[in-house]
Amino acid sequence: MLIMAMKPGHDGSIAVVENGRLLWCLESEKDTFPRYAPLTPTTLLEVAQRLDRMPDVVALGGWAKPRTGGAIGAGYAGVSAVRRGGMRFFGAELDFFTSSHERSHLMTAVGMAPPGDEELSTVLVWEGVIGSFYLVDRNWQVVRTVPVLPHPGDRYAFLFSLADPTFPDHGQTPRTDGSGKLMALAAFAEAKDADADIEAAVDRILAAPAVNPAPKADFADTVLYNAGVQSKAAKTAAALLTKRIFDMFAEVALRELPAGTPLRISGGCGLNCDWNAAWRELGHFSSVFVPPCTSDSGSAIGTAIDALAHHGRTTPIDWSVYAGLDFVLDARPDPGRWLDRPRDDRALASALAAGRIVAWVQGRWEIGPRALGNRSLLAEPYSAATRDRLNQIKQRESYRPIAPCCREQDLAEAFHEDFPDPYMLYFRRVRSPKLAAVTHVDGSARAQSVTAAGNPPLHGLLSAFAGRTGLGVLCNTSLNHLRRGFINRMSDLVAYCEDRGIADMVVGDRWYTLLTAGHDPGSPAGGPPLPGGGHGG
């Protein structure tokens, strides 16, 4: 059975699943389109030219029409909101399936999770609108819904907009990228330091019936109104709101949900690494699983899984995080400007150790928002100046942390917690004092663990870097323009690197070095000294 599922609205995407295996998940933002882009004709064409036959099922994720709120497909909410029927698709008679957006998150969580034989699983869907637990049986039927807090993601994003003097008082949706920035700012303060005014403002955010559109003018009398996102008040409020939201959900989990069930998390709040780590530490659940596309970027996959389940398959699908498109070689770097040679991991490790930044492209792009070694900027992890350089290249705020990738066998040496995390979804405490570029202000890092089986090229480079410096860790941040999805074609990559002063590009097995970079490409030198003196051993 071949299923093509579409997610309308922001984070538009198309997922193709055949006989229980994910073939592609193509998000419209990727290939340098705007972040959170709705479904585009380009995305549909990319799928169409890759399918060798008509799909058996076309599935549409439910959504709400802008302004009117009317239903698209099965609509936004409802654990039982499912419709099936027939449709004509380019002259062919096909099955049509649609289920709610709420169900897309539910099915992403259970259908991408590791297989198990538990009688019950707990699913947490927390996103912009929905904030509920669900008990799901082995046939993926919801046997109980436990609502906790509506609009948890909107409330979190609203705090950033409230403190931002450039955000208007009326009629605007909270900034979509505000949640990630607020997560970074929360590390600069502690919830216990909140005074009565900050507590009162956070209490009002939690008590508001809705915060989308953002009712900023209603909060003009609070200490957070236009306080500045980097103000002490905003940072402390971010820490307090982070704690308050998690505590509300954890209290309900401990009181209402059976201990020992596996927890599956879906929704944009699943990108909050602080909360994910807290769920692991709570001790109430037997395990915690968060898919790499836990936000709406995975909703099309969830709808495809739902359609599959309604055709009788209720076992997890076979999937890879590298289910995007291959890199497009639409141009050749100018040989008068770029030296082209075979990739050499040992020489690359030396270049990285010398302080050079590498645009690294391998295979198909990653699903979800995290760069996991196929569309990445890589750099040495030892100098705080490297973090600052990467943030300048990315045109990001200076307070934003840079994540590391780490060989799985080096986790215990680099970090206090050594559990695997191939999808970069948990904070852990940094053990090694050497890792200044990837250590956030609170001593944490969001690390991707890498194995030879999971990503052979990246693991090979990390091994070469370990041989050069003693530790298989590198800075790993996404290869993209500001507020755009991953770069996915050579013409864009060359323009990006020449504009941002990046002298090294690796695309598959080829290494391109800018000849005008002011150094001998065959003998990298300079850059920050490595720990212990010199440039490694």
Side-chain angles (χ1 to χ4, degrees), residues 78-279:
V79 295
S80 301
V82 176
R83 295 206 314 268
R84 298 174 65 180
M87 70 173 296
R88 284 180 59 80
F89 188 78
F90 293 107
E93 297 291 337
L94 307 179
D95 287 344
F96 174 73
F97 175 89
T98 180
S99 60
S100 68
H101 182 66
E102 184 173 5
R103 284 190 62 89
S104 78
H105 280 305
L106 270 165
M107 291 299 164
T108 300
V110 297
M112 297 184 73
D117 58 358
E118 301 87 2
E119 288 295 331
L120 290 175
S121 297
T122 299
V123 175
L124 168 59
V125 175
W126 54 350
E127 45 120 71
V129 176
I130 300 164
S132 298
F133 288 106
Y134 310 82
L135 281 176
V136 180
D137 68 19
R138 61 170 62 249
N139 296 316
W140 295 358
Q141 297 298 307
V142 176
V143 299
R144 188 183 176 201
T145 301
V146 184
V148 182
L149 176 70
H151 305 279
D154 284 349
R155 295 177 201 277
Y156 198 75
F158 172 63
L159 173 54
F160 189 89
S161 301
L162 176 59
D164 180 3
T166 68
F167 189 87
D169 280 0
H170 301 281
Q172 294 293 311
T173 294
R175 289 179 53 178
T176 310
D177 60 356
S179 295
K181 296 178 181 182
L182 198 72
M183 182 171 67
L185 289 166
F188 286 82
E190 295 188 32
K192 64 180 179 59
D193 295 331
D195 60 21
D197 290 336
I198 292 173
E199 288 186 353
V202 168
D203 285 343
R204 283 175 60 180
I205 292 173
L206 290 171
V211 291
N212 190 0
K216 184 172 177 178
D218 295 346
F219 287 74
D221 59 335
T222 70
V223 68
L224 301 178
Y225 177 76
N226 288 342
V229 296
Q230 295 194 61
S231 65
K232 187 177 188 318
K235 292 174 180 176
T236 304
L240 180 62
L241 184 61
T242 299
K243 183 177 187 304
R244 286 275 180 89
I245 290 177
F246 179 81
D247 286 350
M248 291 176 71
F249 280 83
E251 180 184 352
V252 171
L254 294 171
R255 185 180 69 243
E256 300 288 342
L257 300 171
T261 59
L263 177 64
R264 311 335 192 164
I265 295 175
S266 187
C269 294
L271 295 174
N272 188 306
C273 299
D274 195 10
W275 286 336
N276 291 343
W279 285 120

Side-chain angles (χ1 to χ4, degrees), residues 468-489:
R468 183 75 170 80
T469 72
L471 199 58
V473 179
L474 287 169
C475 294
N476 176 20
T477 189
S478 55
L479 180 60
N480 68 302
H481 290 271
L482 181 67
R483 300 191 181 97
R484 298 270 166 171
F486 299 155
I487 291 171
N488 200 56
R489 59 189 61 235

Side-chain angles (χ1 to χ4, degrees), residues 255-523:
R255 185 180 69 243
E256 300 288 342
L257 300 171
T261 59
L263 177 64
R264 311 335 192 164
I265 295 175
S266 187
C269 294
L271 295 174
N272 188 306
C273 299
D274 195 10
W275 286 336
N276 291 343
W279 285 120
R280 284 178 58 92
E281 295 164 4
L282 186 66
H284 188 70
F285 299 101
S286 61
S287 62
V288 177
F289 169 75
V290 188
C293 49
T294 183
S295 65
D296 282 6
S297 61
S299 289
I301 298 176
T303 299
I305 293 169
D306 204 5
L308 200 60
H310 278 82
H311 282 82
R313 179 184 171 123
T314 53
T315 56
I317 63 168
D318 179 19
W319 61 275
S320 166
V321 72
Y322 305 108
L325 293 181
D326 287 306
F327 194 71
V328 179
L329 299 174
D330 66 333
R332 181 188 175 202
D334 181 355
R337 292 178 56 78
W338 291 89
L339 173 68
D340 176 2
R341 53 185 157 162
R343 188 182 86 220
D344 180 335
D345 285 346
R346 291 184 64 185
L348 272 167
S350 293
L352 287 160
R356 280 158 54 184
I357 292 171
V358 176
W360 176 265
V361 173
Q362 299 293 324
R364 296 164 64 177
W365 78 50
E366 303 90 330
I367 60 175
R370 305 280 197 246
L372 301 172
N374 277 20
R375 301 291 183 274
S376 293
L377 286 174
L378 303 178
E380 62 83 22
Y382 300 121
S383 170
T386 298
R387 175 200 62 217
D388 296 337
R389 284 181 64 202
L390 287 170
N391 274 333
Q392 289 170 1
I393 288 169
K394 297 288 297 290
Q395 299 178 337
R396 304 193 326 167
E397 297 84 355
S398 61
Y399 60 79
R400 302 283 293 277
I402 295 294
C405 55
C406 177
R407 290 190 309 174
E408 195 169 291
Q409 60 262 46
D410 293 314
L411 286 172
E413 182 177 352
F415 307 100
H416 287 281
E417 297 83 12
D418 62 354
F419 60 88
D421 179 16
Y423 309 127
M424 201 185 281
L425 287 166
Y426 297 89
F427 282 141
R428 63 185 82 215
R429 295 169 298 152
V430 179
R431 181 190 299 275
S432 173
K434 303 174 184 179
L435 299 174
V438 298
T439 303
H440 200 22
V441 65
D442 62 350
S444 70
R446 184 186 71 202
Q448 174 200 6
S449 60
V450 181
T451 64
N455 192 318
L458 183 58
H459 189 270
L461 180 60
L462 287 167
S463 295
F465 193 75
R468 183 75 170 80
T469 72
L471 199 58
V473 179
L474 287 169
C475 294
N476 176 20
T477 189
S478 55
L479 180 60
N480 68 302
H481 290 271
L482 181 67
R483 300 191 181 97
R484 298 270 166 171
F486 299 155
I487 291 171
N488 200 56
R489 59 189 61 235
M490 183 66 86
S491 58
D492 290 339
L493 178 63
V494 171
Y496 180 85
C497 289
E498 291 185 353
D499 179 63
R500 306 296 168 89
I502 299 169
D504 295 277
M505 308 183 301
V506 173
V507 178
D509 291 330
R510 306 307 300 176
W511 178 8
Y512 302 90
T513 300
L514 193 61
L515 293 171
T516 57
H519 58 256
D520 177 0
S523 179

Side-chain angles (χ1 to χ4, degrees), residues 39-50:
L39 193 61
T40 61
T42 304
T43 311
L44 180 59
L45 290 174
E46 293 285 7
V47 171
Q49 67 180 332
R50 284 165 174 79

